[in-house]
């Protein structure tokens, strides 16, 4: 039975180590001013043009086609514009 106990303890220690390393990475990123997450597919200057087109009444497909991204990306970029 010692193998089962070592296995459970080993998994627990591995989980604790992973959690500790994750928090270390998050603290390091916070200290350097970084933030997590994926970078936007559409740069900020292009987002403004896509938002303006959306407000002018264009369908979502037009700015998506113009900027070479998906319609979902345009919807995400203009999410705060929708009711």
């Amino acid at each position: 039975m010692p193998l089962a106990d070592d296995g459970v303890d080993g998994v627990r220690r591995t989980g604790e180590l992973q959690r500790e390393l994750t928090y270390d990475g998050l603290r390091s990123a916070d200290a350097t001013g970084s933030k997590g997450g994926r970078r936007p597919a559409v740069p900020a200057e292009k987002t403004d043009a896509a938002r303006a087109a959306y407000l002018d009444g264009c369908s979502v497909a037009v700015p998506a086609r113009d900027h070479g991204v998906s319609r979902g990306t345009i919807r995400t970029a203009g999410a705060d514009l929708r009711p």
Side-chain angles (χ1 to χ4, degrees), residues 24-75:
D24 286 347
L26 290 172
R27 282 190 292 270
S28 173
D30 189 40
T32 60
S34 298
K35 66 173 191 164
R38 188 175 178 170
R39 290 193 177 110
V42 181
E45 59 274 358
K46 288 187 179 183
T47 302
D48 293 337
R51 291 162 77 95
Y54 184 78
L55 287 174
D56 287 341
C58 285
S59 69
V60 174
V62 173
R65 197 171 30 247
D66 292 345
H67 297 294
V69 295
S70 71
R71 293 186 309 269
T73 300
I74 297 299
R75 286 188 193 103

Side-chain angles (χ1 to χ4, degrees), residues 3-44:
L3 288 177
D5 291 337
D6 288 340
V8 170
D9 287 341
V11 169
R12 187 175 297 124
R13 282 191 299 262
T14 301
E16 291 171 0
L17 176 62
Q18 184 64 44
R19 187 175 311 112
E20 184 178 327
L21 291 173
T22 299
Y23 285 129
D24 286 347
L26 290 172
R27 282 190 292 270
S28 173
D30 189 40
T32 60
S34 298
K35 66 173 191 164
R38 188 175 178 170
R39 290 193 177 110
V42 181

